[in-house]
Amino acid sequence: MKLLCVGDIHLGRQPSRIPPAVDDAVGIAALGPAAAWRRSVDYALEQPVDAVLLAGDVVEQEDDFFEAYRDLREGVQRLTTAGIRVLGVAGNHDVQVLPRLAKALPAFELLGAGGQWETRELQGREGGRARIAGWSFPQARVSESPLESGFPEPVDCPTLGLLHCDRDQARSPHAPVRSSALEAAPAEAWLLGHVHRPDALAAPRPMGYLGSLTGMDPGEPGRHGPWQLELAANGALAIQQIPLAPLYWDTLEIPVDGLDATDIHHRVTEALERLHTEIEQWPQRPRAVGCRLRFTGRSDQRAALERVLHADDPRVTVQTLGDRLYFVHDWRLEAQPAVDLEALAAGNDPAALLARKLLLLQGADSEARRALLDAAREPLAEVTRAPHYRALGREAPDDTALAATLEAAALHALDRLLLQREGDQ
């Protein structure tokens, strides 16, 4: 038996951080969840698979009913017409809308409505059998583990658990489940929804998150897509990700050691071409690729590099390589000044003070480092609480992001101080 397992689709939502030039060329809709769902349906029909399993959050929210209905209906009809069953569970985003869609689409089989475990048996084209056990959110917030109410008893064929949940987050309002409870349940595999970063699922007993069907923003980097699960006649399982996402997010590290500031864009083009060569080797390829650039290393031209990047911002350039569009959504000049920070920190002027702060930020966790981050957290929190920031739907920066922000500001200030020192000499 061959199954296609699909994580969070979020029909109705559109990807963010897409530049206007990319939108003009292909349209944001061609890079979003609906396009990823169509690619998955096409793949399921090509194989063909015996069933498609949906692990919740198929729809972004209630307001997206009509748009989601159209996209889901088209895919379900194509699949079921070809004899491919479609089964799914409701997540916290679509707790109301998915049951409505199921009523409107009788061919779509919703499992576990009302927060009660439910099973369906599948018959493979070659005589294989499997049982799907699913549980759906009865309301948007569920603070108890779905496994506390029990799990279906084992039968004489493999059982695959289909669940939208928050694993190992005891205080979560989104169906918290312990990994130990999943391991103890009589299921040969657990196919989970909710977390958008896919786990490294592997046989003989896959257990983890399928991830979002396509990365919606730079916070969901790497390859995304459905997972193909195969059950052999002897009961053995095999699983592999099929990276069908039309949009791919990546981070490119560009060393600037020995680089003249005027050559910076040539170095960026080289990095994009290397990434394109790699992507062309993939069996399934995205339509567009968004990149974050990290300029690393040491340079005595940091200030000049920064001026060039601001004057000719790589974020406004979209490159077409083959059939793919490549764009830069963010860049960070993380290169260190071509000075000995340890030696500089031994002084007693403002540059020495900044050098000491930089060494603290770049060092291991310590009480002094935590104090530095804590001192910056409240001023930044005032920014993140502002209405215009909340409207972006982004979380407040964690310690890693906070440290990176402070380090970038310190490096920028250090460049200015060192240039001023040179001018005074």
Side-chain angles (χ1 to χ4, degrees), residues 382-398:
E382 293 181 8
V383 176
T384 61
R385 287 194 292 264
H388 60 272
Y389 189 97
R390 291 203 307 271
L392 297 176
R394 304 188 66 80
E395 298 290 336
D398 59 16

Side-chain angles (χ1 to χ4, degrees), residues 227-238:
W227 293 74
Q228 183 172 290
L229 188 149
E230 296 187 52
L231 294 86
N234 62 1
L237 300 181

